[in-house]
Amino acid sequence: MTTATTPQTDPFALARALSGRHFYDGALRESASGRTFPVVNPATGEEVGAAAFGEAADVEAAVRAAAAAQKGWAKVGARDRGKLVARCGQLLSEHVEELARLIALETGKALRTESRVEASVLADAFTFFAGLGSELKGETVPYSPTVMTMTVREPIGVVGAILPWNVPLLLMALKIAPALVAGNTVVVKSAEEAPLAVLRVIELMGGILPPGVVNILSGFGPECGAPLVAHPKVGKVTFTGSVETGKIVYRTAAEKLIPVTLELGGKSPMIVMADADMDQAIAGAIAGMRFTRQGQSCTAASRIFVHDAVHDEFVARLKAKVDAMRMGDPLDEATDIGTIVSHQQMERVQGYIAIGKETDGAVAHVCSALPTDPRLAKGLFIQPHIFTGVTNDSRIAREEIFGPVCCVIRWTDYEEVIAAANDSEYGLAATVWTRDLKLALDAVNRLEAGFVQVNQNLVVQPNLSYGGVKASGLGKEASLESMLEHFTHKKTIMINMK
Ligand code: NAI
Ligand code: MG
């Protein structure tokens, strides 16, 4: 069974057509058990489709297909692999609207501000890595005039890629595009909350790539993710998700002695100096906190340290801007802020809001307005909360909330604010806002984070290494180096000519 390869812009029809299927060995396939689980529109609570419930038997079949395809795929020239991946990028660029609507339907991310943006950068990520085939080069080493010594880059084999639900299309692309160009085959495990748009991408790619080169399973962590990581033929795992699950993946990989890349959580600081351009800093806080995505971002700028001299003005203007954002149906073009992804996530975020309200000295500034449309009465909407009056020691400033909740923390002493920014278990991203370049340089050198920016708050960009330090993860993604370091191994070859 396949769905049409022309773009299907009715997401409800496409969700039904993709229901109950994995994609492996070149075709859409049901689970061995025939089981499925519901896909729910978080804006209405309606069941819009079903996903195949993957288990060990499905993992076995998909990994077997990937392993069988890998030797042949590695023999395709590196630039030719790149050309096929470029064709995938081209095809996906023709499906932006379709994918945007489908991801909005299953995750509740607003179409205009989030889902369409994600679907557009998806194609760009494939196009970027597609051009890097000839960069898979080795070196010659001047060991001795009579011993020709060189290195070559070889693929690892079968890569297991485990996805989260918050940015599934882009994060999948950043994992599988470099893995494929480097000569690996992949088995993806989608997040249980967002199985369909990524399935559609793999189905479309499967029309271009040989059978078994790209494969995807849907299912839950213990039943489907765990056997994928543990499978003896999976030689590398790349994971994005929670710290807790990242540790489980790492432990299993350790038993097999295979490499892993882990992109985990964050509690990213934003430091606003007294001389900062206020308009720029407030726009940066809104973009950084991903309010349009209900704050469901690992890089969310959720600890905003604002200098005492501008603190009150900053909070008032930030609140006014967030108040002006419209919460509503994710598929409506007028909507700025969509929904939370699931009931589980909603309860978690509400739990943190309650903790925040009970924190000594805390003031909750509740922003925007819940939608009034009765069709959305069961929608998973949470009003953005800006907490002031809290310190960096409070639970809401220390723990990742993954929702539209941030802390604005007042500061006066520069040394103290740098220490507070670094006083976190995480180290994913950080930003500094000032006109003083000397101070900015001092701060960027001292901040403990994988990605530090001054006077801007961009998201992942192709060819900029992305990844955290401390509990935020291991290894980098998105760059040429990430392809070389994480999806190949280096073989040393010596030829004695004496
Ligand atoms: P999770 O880390 O449990 O799930 C991420 C992926 O791992 C999913 O595909 C899941 O099925 C899979 N998984 C779960 N258990 C597994 C296992 N034992 N072996 C292999 N794979 C397994 O995250 P979840 O439950 O979706 O969200 C919990 C919290 O994690 C969120 O509230 C948020 O704080 C954080 N999170 C962080 C993300 C990031 O971008 N760094 C993305 C998603 C969640
Ligand atoms: Mg979980």
Side-chain angles (χ1 to χ4, degrees):
M1 191 208 113
T2 51
T3 49
T5 50
T6 47
Q8 312 284 299
T9 43
D10 175 359
F12 293 91
L14 185 56
R16 285 192 298 272
L18 288 166
S19 276
R21 302 288 193 278
H22 307 293
F23 184 97
Y24 61 83
D25 205 8
L28 289 168
R29 297 169 195 278
E30 286 183 9
S31 282
S33 67
R35 287 175 70 191
T36 61
F37 60 96
V39 178
V40 175
N41 174 359
T44 60
E46 279 163 9
E47 222 171 287
V48 291
F53 189 101
E55 291 174 275
D58 309 296
V59 170
E60 180 58 38
V63 174
R64 202 181 315 124
Q70 198 269 325
K71 296 275 181 291
W73 179 241
K75 283 198 187 117
V76 175
R79 290 201 59 208
D80 290 332
R81 288 195 302 265
K83 283 178 191 159
L84 289 170
V85 170
R87 275 181 54 197
C88 295
Q90 176 57 40
L91 180 63
L92 294 169
S93 72
E94 292 158 18
H95 285 258
V96 167
E97 200 52 33
E98 168 198 273
L99 292 166
R101 287 172 180 277
L102 189 55
I103 198 87
L105 179 65
E106 66 183 340
T107 65
K109 292 201 297 183
L111 181 61
R112 177 176 50 79
T113 56
E114 287 289 337
S115 293
R116 196 175 284 130
V117 179
E118 183 183 358
S120 313
V121 293
L122 164 82
D124 188 43
F126 281 100
T127 306
F128 166 71
F129 281 107
L132 299 182
S134 58
E135 291 299 321
L136 291 154
K137 54 200 178 198
E139 306 132 328
T140 54
V141 183
Y143 173 76
S144 135
T146 59
V147 183
M148 174 71 180
T149 302
M150 58 195 164
T151 63
V152 293
R153 292 273 180 188
E154 294 188 341
I156 293 172
V158 177
V159 169
I162 298 183
L163 305 184
W165 43 262
N166 59 332
V167 206
L169 294 172
L170 175 63
L171 296 178
M172 179 171 79
L174 295 178
K175 295 180 187 317
I176 72 174
L180 294 172
V181 172
N184 306 280
T185 54
V186 297
V187 178
V188 179
K189 206 293 278 174
S190 55
E192 41 274 52
E193 297 82 353
L196 297 180
V198 287
L199 171 64
R200 176 62 167 161
V201 170
I202 297 292
E203 183 200 21
L204 291 169
M205 292 178 72
I208 293 173
L209 302 174
V213 170
V214 281
N215 309 277
I216 188 164
L217 302 169
S218 47
F220 291 78
E223 293 87 350
C224 189
L228 177 61
V229 179
H231 197 289
K233 285 201 161 75
V234 170
K236 154 90 196 187
V237 172
T238 167
F239 168 87
T240 300
S242 65
V243 175
E244 188 188 12
T245 305
K247 287 179 183 172
I248 296 173
V249 168
Y250 202 14
R251 274 196 285 273
T252 309
E255 281 302 317
K256 294 167 58 184
L257 291 172
I258 61 162
V260 292
T261 309
L262 302 174
E263 297 292 347
L264 309 177
K267 197 77 195 176
S268 297
M270 163 166 179
I271 302 178
V272 181
M273 311 282 182
D275 71 338
D277 177 327
M278 268 305 117
D279 290 336
Q280 205 174 44
I282 288 160
I286 288 173
M289 249 316 286
R290 311 280 186 276
F291 282 116
T292 50
R293 201 194 295 156
Q294 283 275 3
Q296 299 170 118
S297 165
C298 47
T299 30
S302 49
R303 290 187 297 147
I304 308 179
F305 295 94
V306 182
H307 191 277
D308 179 49
V310 289
H311 174 278
D312 295 352
E313 178 197 351
F314 182 93
V315 172
R317 290 178 57 188
L318 176 63
K319 179 171 183 334
K321 286 260 186 208
V322 184
D323 278 340
M325 294 169 83
R326 180 161 160 184
M327 216 182 300
D329 183 348
L331 285 164
D332 182 343
E333 295 286 344
T335 296
D336 298 307
I337 303 178
T339 71
I340 296 280
V341 75
S342 66
H343 274 286
Q344 185 192 321
Q345 194 60 25
M346 177 109 168
E347 280 165 21
R348 182 189 158 107
V349 176
Q350 284 169 333
Y352 276 110
I353 290 173
I355 291 169
K357 286 182 172 160
E358 284 161 16
T359 304
D360 266 356
V363 180
H365 306 263
V366 185
C367 306
S368 188
L370 294 173
T372 50
D373 182 345
R375 287 183 312 117
L376 305 176
K378 290 193 181 142
L380 306 179
F381 296 95
I382 294 186
Q383 283 175 280
H385 279 61
I386 301 168
F387 278 98
T388 55
V390 295
T391 66
N392 192 52
D393 298 325
S394 60
R395 271 189 73 190
I396 55 167
R398 303 202 75 79
E399 298 176 20
E400 184 176 48
I401 299 174
F402 229 73
V405 181
C406 65
C407 299
V408 176
I409 301 171
R410 193 188 290 270
W411 66 277
T412 47
D413 182 80
Y414 175 69
E415 290 300 320
E416 279 175 22
V417 79
I418 293 288
N422 287 337
D423 180 15
S424 170
E425 117 185 61
Y426 296 108
L428 193 50
T431 59
V432 180
W433 304 78
T434 180
R435 292 186 168 94
D436 181 340
L437 198 54
K438 253 172 89 177
L439 201 58
L441 264 174
D442 182 72
V444 298
N445 284 328
R446 291 167 65 185
L447 285 167
E448 296 164 3
F451 189 18
V452 185
Q453 302 177 67
V454 177
N455 296 334
Q456 64 170 23
N457 212 335
L458 299 180
V459 295
V460 188
Q461 304 288 313
N463 216 21
L464 299 185
S465 284
Y466 179 82
V469 296
K470 303 198 277 188
S472 292
L474 283 178
K476 305 287 172 188
E477 294 193 304
S479 62
L480 169 62
E481 291 74 22
S482 73
M483 176 175 83
L484 300 176
E485 286 164 24
H486 297 301
F487 296 111
T488 72
H489 74 87
K490 205 186 238 189
K491 180 186 273 181
T492 301
I493 299 169
M494 299 179 92
I495 304 169
N496 185 349
M497 298 176 297
K498 239 197 320 205

